[in-house]
Amino acid sequence: MNQLPFTEDTVIFGLLALCLGFVFYTSSIKTGFWKKFYTIVPAVLMCYLLPSILASVGIIDEKSSQTYYIASRYLLPAALILMTLSIDLKAILNLGSKALIMFLTGTAGIIIGGPLAILIVSVFSPETVGGAGFDAVWRGLATIAGSWIGGGANQAAMLEVFQFNQEKYGGMVLIDIVVANIWMAIILLGVGKTKKIDAWLKADTSSIEELKVKVSEHTAKIARVTTLPDFMMLLLFAFAGVGLAHFFGNHFAEFLEQNFEVIRNKEKVLSSLGSKFLWMVVFATMFGIGISFTKAKNYEGAGASKIGGMFIYILVATIGMKMDLGAVFENPGLIAIGLIWISIHAVLLIVVAKLIKAPFFFLAVGSQANVGGAASAPVVAAEFHPSLTSVGILLAVFGYVVGTGGAYLCALLMEVASKV
């Protein structure tokens, strides 16, 4: 009998499948306790929390697992292809400028939130935001700014630029994961109350609703009983596309690094454009959009977005597994900085959304395109409706572009704040 925690990916994946199956089975029960439970707690949040509980109580060890890597590198691009296969580009463009405004508001919230959080925490715990030389806390927080505006590539770029002590870097990664995941959980909780939030924001959701209706009508029109050849064609589209996305993504990233000093040098603002993950996501999305102009679009009727949705939920479970709930209490001072920081980001988003009457969808996806990047922005967008997945992808890609520059500015402001 193997001792806990389980470290084999086969067992871990089985437990994640058990969590997902349990959530979907119980959420399909339309009477009694479970009906009341899921009117309060969204199913997607449970898909996220159950794996985090397994990791937190020591049943599974995510550090030895490759399930997140497989989900993010294979299933995520496959999901993006299957969910953009029936995309309506014109309708997405008709969504207007509010999506971009909310994204940039989220970016501004991260840039000003970092230094403000340092100033607030320094009042009651100056040692938490102190440190000298390469041990200075602001240098470590710069890596979080990179992650929260763009993603992993931007985070690595900030580590290179500011040379934070590698031995203490793990603590910053912990804050990044814990706080970002708490915020994602809050956003997913809000998804279940979208109508109430939109009513409070006095938001005009007509363009979003029109897109949902248009896609739903198209899906109903082409719906059919799915056959084995249909599934095999969906397999072809999804994973041939994943192979092409990785091939072109890797080679294009290498081409950029070899030919452009501004990308090769990790201290430069545009260095994050050398990320292979970024270009893999871009090429997967381009492939999905490309085949949407062919008869492949009709495979939505065979359940393309449903299979894509299944892959997304597996990714959600692997993301949840990375969050150790007990770690929240290990370094309360730094966690406090993270929570204040993300709160400033949230408040700014809410204020701007209220002012411009932006739908909660734009707030949620604009935030996750910053804080979560390409791995979680499509997840949140798809939770509103599969047809909206591409909005999350496009904003997340934009996050990579502005991530390093925004994080660099944030780091300079945090250096000033830590010396006040």
Side-chain angles (χ1 to χ4, degrees):
M1 180 68 182
N2 193 12
Q3 291 183 334
L4 297 178
F6 293 114
T7 56
E8 300 95 331
D9 276 342
T10 46
V11 178
I12 291 172
F13 185 76
L15 289 170
L16 295 181
L18 179 65
C19 290
L20 293 173
F22 172 79
V23 171
F24 274 83
Y25 174 73
T26 53
S27 64
S28 68
I29 298 170
K30 300 304 178 187
T31 57
F33 169 77
W34 290 114
K35 182 185 179 184
K36 293 176 183 174
F37 180 81
Y38 285 106
T39 57
I40 300 168
V41 182
V44 67
L45 182 58
M46 288 300 295
C47 294
Y48 180 81
L49 284 178
L50 290 181
S52 73
I53 292 170
L54 292 181
S56 299
V57 300
I59 293 176
I60 58 177
D61 178 15
E62 68 85 15
K63 293 182 180 66
S64 63
S65 175
Q66 291 293 304
T67 49
Y68 171 75
Y69 181 85
I70 297 295
S72 61
R73 266 58 176 185
Y74 294 81
L75 300 186
L76 172 63
L80 298 181
I81 291 166
L82 293 174
M83 295 173 99
T84 53
L85 177 140
S86 61
I87 194 172
D88 188 331
L89 271 182
K90 185 180 176 183
I92 286 177
L93 293 174
N94 287 340
L95 291 175
S97 60
K98 288 182 181 177
L100 185 59
I101 292 170
M102 293 309 297
F103 168 79
L104 293 173
T105 299
T107 304
I110 299 300
I111 292 172
I112 66 172
L116 286 176
I118 287 177
L119 288 172
I120 292 168
V121 172
S122 66
V123 173
F124 57 86
S125 182
E127 67 279 1
T128 302
V129 297
F134 295 119
D135 288 335
V137 170
W138 69 265
R139 292 179 185 272
L141 295 175
T143 65
I144 298 176
S147 175
W148 285 359
I149 298 176
N154 307 83
Q155 186 173 29
M158 289 299 99
L159 187 61
E160 287 283 336
V161 171
F162 294 105
Q163 297 290 308
F164 182 61
N165 186 342
Q166 293 271 3
E167 291 180 9
K168 296 184 178 182
Y169 180 52
M172 295 300 165
V173 173
L174 177 70
I175 301 166
D176 174 15
I177 294 171
V178 169
V179 176
N181 287 354
I182 288 172
W183 175 234
M184 185 176 177
I186 292 169
I187 283 179
L188 293 174
L189 198 59
V191 172
K193 307 180 190 310
T194 301
K195 287 186 179 178
K196 287 184 179 178
I197 296 171
D198 282 339
W200 179 77
L201 292 170
K202 296 180 180 176
D204 177 12
T205 60
S206 57
S207 58
I208 295 174
E209 294 306 319
E210 283 170 19
L211 178 58
K212 287 182 186 177
V213 169
K214 200 169 183 181
V215 172
S216 298
E217 286 177 350
H218 175 71
T219 304
K221 185 179 173 183
I222 59 175
R224 61 181 188 262
V225 176
T226 311
T227 63
L228 180 59
D230 287 334
F231 281 125
M232 296 310 291
M233 287 304 295
L234 290 173
L235 181 76
L236 161 68
F237 295 139
F239 290 100
V242 170
L244 288 170
H246 276 275
F247 177 80
F248 286 113
N250 290 345
H251 284 284
F252 190 64
E254 287 170 5
F255 168 79
L256 292 176
E257 281 202 343
Q258 289 169 6
N259 292 279
F260 298 96
E261 170 64 20
V262 72
I263 290 172
R264 186 165 55 249
N265 187 341
K266 297 302 179 187
E267 295 185 11
K268 299 293 184 182
V269 169
L270 296 178
S271 63
S272 60
L273 291 179
S275 166
K276 292 179 180 178
F277 180 76
L278 163 65
W279 292 110
M280 179 270 291
V281 168
V282 170
F283 281 108
T285 306
M286 287 170 61
F287 181 77
I289 292 171
I291 62 175
S292 75
F293 291 101
T294 70
K295 288 184 179 179
K297 188 185 185 95
N298 293 331
Y299 278 92
E300 172 59 26
S305 64
K306 291 183 177 69
I307 296 172
M310 179 178 68
F311 292 161
I312 287 286
Y313 273 99
I314 294 171
L315 176 63
V316 169
T318 63
I319 292 172
M321 182 183 70
K322 291 166 71 67
M323 182 179 175
D324 183 352
L325 297 172
V328 175
F329 306 104
E330 285 182 8
N331 195 335
L334 287 176
I335 293 291
I337 293 175
L339 291 174
I340 293 168
W341 191 351
I342 209 76
S343 298
I344 293 166
H345 164 80
V347 168
L348 190 61
L349 279 167
I350 293 166
V351 169
V352 173
K354 183 78 172 169
L355 287 172
I356 67 171
K357 298 180 180 178
F360 177 62
F361 168 73
F362 291 147
L363 186 157
V365 176
S367 173
Q368 280 304 302
N370 279 285
V371 179
S376 63
V379 172
V380 172
E383 192 56 25
F384 285 88
H385 195 273
S387 63
L388 301 172
T389 307
S390 48
V391 181
I393 301 163
L394 294 171
L395 288 178
V397 169
F398 193 52
Y400 274 96
V401 176
V402 303
T404 304
Y408 190 83
L409 174 58
C410 179
L412 296 180
L413 293 173
M414 287 193 292
E415 181 183 12
V416 174
S418 66
K419 294 175 180 176
V420 171

